[in-house]
Amino acid sequence: MSFKSLGLTESLVKAVNHQGYDTPTSIQVKSIPPVLEGKDVLASAQTGTGKTAGFTLPLLQLLSQKQPLRKRPVRALILTPTRELAAQVHQNVKDYGKFLDLRSTVIFGGVSQKSQVSTLRNGVDVLIATPGRLIDLNNQGLLSLKHIEILVLDEADRMLDMGFLRDIKKIMGLIPKQRQTLLFSATFSKDIRKLANEFLNNPVSVESTPENTTVEAIKQKAYRVAKAKKTDLLIKLISEGDWEQVLVFTRTKHGANKLVKKLEAAKIGAAPIHGNKSQTARTKALAGFKNGSIKVLVATDIASRGLDIPLLPHVVNFELPNVSEDYVHRIGRTGRAGASGLAISLVSADETVFLRDIEKLIGEKIPKEVLEGFEPDPNASTKPFNPQQRRQKSRRKSK
């Protein structure tokens, strides 16, 4: 199977080849043809499956087949939950559209709107945006969505988790009813199906992997450990394993900051990435992580979605998520593009319930180990840290 056989034009195939790809992934094979046919698509795809190209490539082709309108109003809108994902998708649009006469830009909060507005005024065909900044600029009369032909909701499940449903519905009311809608989500939850039923017209459903399964290339392991000894165990694993690139997940922003300070005290280069950090700081941290000047990136769940880190070898759950599906998203950061990966979880007594829920979700037992000197506290309570939040997807504010 080749990209050309999917019906893509020479210009797009050439651009894809320039990026080093010659064979489409499963989700691309399944999603590109129906999108090119103008159909609405409901797609389930885990991170690392090539889903972004699954909608950007056909979207660019459909737009390029028509003459650009005068003043180039926005004809395609891609909504994403986070700034990092928005920037990543925009880079994909630029890379794949390099041989096409199409303009694109990205808008998100956390930075001045001045340059974003200036670019919009010059005309763009494809707009990538986070919901908050999009609605803000629309309310100011600085952009129009009246000419939208294609709408993409990327990582729709995460947008719902973050409480963007009201914003999504408002945006839907601003764009033409006659449009093509593509919805991409990691899972087909009840909420996602409800959203699809409301806004998609007789969609084609495609899946790249069975729902809620973890990537086979990822080796999973859990260390049972006393909560107070987690940091020392992490330092030991990184140092003795000679790990060069590690993505670590904490439950809170405060926890991320605290862990980074302890890692730096142990002479391990680390940086936090979460919603309280400015866009400049987040971009700098990610750049340092990619070039090797920072060995450990400590992230919260919301900030981590959309991070584009190829061939990431290690992911560590410093704290298990209380929402089981987030575990799948987290470890999906490794084992990408055919490479193997290692996902380690440091599990204290109060996280036992979460570990059990995760194993039930993924349908397999995670191997467990106890290292000498880091044994779990036999007197620690096994009561979850916040039982009211268990199995509930909390509504999170926009980061």
Side-chain angles (χ1 to χ4, degrees):
M1 180 70 71
S2 66
F3 282 99
K4 188 174 183 179
S5 68
L6 296 178
L8 295 174
T9 61
E10 289 291 345
S11 296
L12 286 166
V13 172
K14 182 180 176 182
V16 171
N17 290 337
H18 268 238
Q19 295 303 310
Y21 304 116
D22 53 23
T23 305
T25 65
S26 171
I27 191 63
Q28 291 162 4
V29 170
K30 294 176 181 178
S31 62
I32 290 176
V35 176
L36 288 176
E37 291 171 11
K39 297 177 180 177
D40 284 6
V41 172
L42 173 61
S44 172
Q46 302 290 349
T47 54
T49 57
K51 67 177 175 64
T52 305
F55 61 77
T56 55
L57 288 170
L59 176 152
L60 291 169
Q61 179 156 318
L62 290 173
L63 293 181
S64 67
Q65 288 172 342
K66 298 180 181 179
Q67 277 291 109
L69 297 175
R70 185 169 168 271
K71 293 187 177 181
R72 290 187 186 256
V74 179
R75 291 189 289 149
L77 172 64
I78 303 173
L79 281 181
T80 72
T82 66
R83 309 171 209 171
E84 283 77 18
L85 182 57
Q88 178 191 331
V89 172
H90 183 224
Q91 187 60 53
N92 273 261
V93 170
K94 289 194 294 183
D95 289 341
Y96 297 137
K98 66 189 298 182
F99 301 115
L100 301 174
D101 179 24
L102 293 172
R103 299 178 190 171
S104 64
T105 194
V106 60
I107 61 172
F108 46 70
V111 295
S112 170
Q113 70 176 41
K114 189 175 180 180
S115 63
Q116 297 177 357
V117 172
S118 177
T119 304
L120 285 169
R121 282 176 176 160
N122 289 330
V124 296
D125 302 284
V126 185
L127 176 62
I128 301 94
T130 52
R133 176 54 62 93
L134 182 73
I135 291 175
D136 185 26
L137 294 186
N138 180 79
N139 289 343
Q140 295 179 57
L142 297 173
L143 66 81
S144 171
L145 303 176
K146 295 178 181 178
H147 295 275
I148 296 294
E149 300 169 17
I150 305 172
L151 170 69
V152 181
L153 299 176
D154 190 16
E155 297 203 355
D157 53 330
R158 180 57 58 174
M159 281 197 273
L160 295 187
D161 289 349
M162 292 170 66
F164 283 136
L165 180 58
R166 182 179 295 178
D167 287 348
I168 291 172
K169 289 187 174 183
K170 183 171 183 178
I171 292 166
M172 291 293 190
L174 299 172
I175 62 180
K177 284 185 168 50
Q178 286 292 102
R179 64 172 188 270
Q180 183 178 8
T181 307
L182 316 176
L183 190 156
F184 280 70
S185 170
T187 60
F188 283 162
S189 64
K190 287 183 179 178
D191 288 338
I192 287 296
R193 292 189 183 280
K194 183 178 179 182
L195 187 68
N197 288 336
E198 188 171 353
F199 295 115
L200 273 65
N201 179 30
N202 193 26
V204 175
S205 291
V206 298
E207 292 185 67
S208 63
T209 56
E211 185 174 346
N212 292 330
T213 59
T214 50
V215 183
E216 291 181 5
I218 303 173
K219 180 181 178 182
Q220 301 172 68
K221 180 187 283 190
Y223 287 101
R224 292 198 177 277
V225 58
K227 182 176 285 191
K229 296 180 180 179
K230 280 191 177 186
T231 302
D232 289 338
L233 177 54
L234 178 61
I235 291 171
K236 173 185 172 69
L237 293 171
I238 293 171
S239 301
E240 295 186 4
D242 198 24
W243 294 354
E244 290 300 323
Q245 198 179 44
V246 193
L247 178 59
V248 178
F249 286 96
T250 59
R251 206 175 281 129
T252 66
K253 292 172 281 191
H254 173 71
N257 292 335
K258 187 176 177 183
L259 180 57
V260 165
K261 288 181 180 179
K262 291 182 177 179
L263 290 172
E264 289 181 330
K267 308 299 182 186
I268 296 174
I273 184 165
H274 54 65
N276 282 359
K277 292 293 177 180
S278 68
Q279 186 60 34
T280 300
R282 291 159 79 161
T283 301
K284 183 179 178 181
L286 184 57
F289 188 59
K290 286 183 176 181
N291 67 30
S293 60
I294 293 172
K295 185 176 289 190
V296 183
L297 195 64
V298 184
T300 54
D301 285 301
I302 291 177
S304 73
R305 281 301 274 272
L307 292 181
D308 183 22
I309 308 165
L311 306 179
L312 177 64
H314 301 99
V315 169
V316 176
N317 293 297
F318 188 79
E319 295 163 318
L320 285 179
N322 57 297
V323 177
S324 302
E325 287 85 351
D326 283 342
Y327 175 84
V328 177
H329 298 314
R330 287 181 177 189
I331 74 168
R333 295 278 130 215
T334 187
R336 305 176 78 166
S340 60
L342 176 61
I344 287 177
S345 298
L346 309 184
V347 185
S348 52
D350 60 334
E351 295 171 305
T352 303
V353 171
F354 300 142
L355 181 61
R356 195 180 306 137
D357 286 349
I358 288 166
E359 290 178 326
K360 184 177 179 181
L361 178 77
I362 65 176
E364 61 181 281
K365 290 288 184 182
I366 298 172
K368 301 164 190 68
E369 190 176 329
V370 175
L371 291 183
E372 186 177 350
F374 299 91
E375 294 84 1
D377 183 352
N379 300 315
S381 171
T382 57
K383 184 178 179 181
F385 79 100
N386 192 338
Q388 287 79 22
Q389 287 187 352
R390 187 184 166 203
R391 296 192 185 91
Q392 291 181 2
K393 293 193 173 183
S394 58
R395 294 298 181 190
R396 303 175 176 118
K397 294 182 179 179
S398 170
K399 301 299 176 187

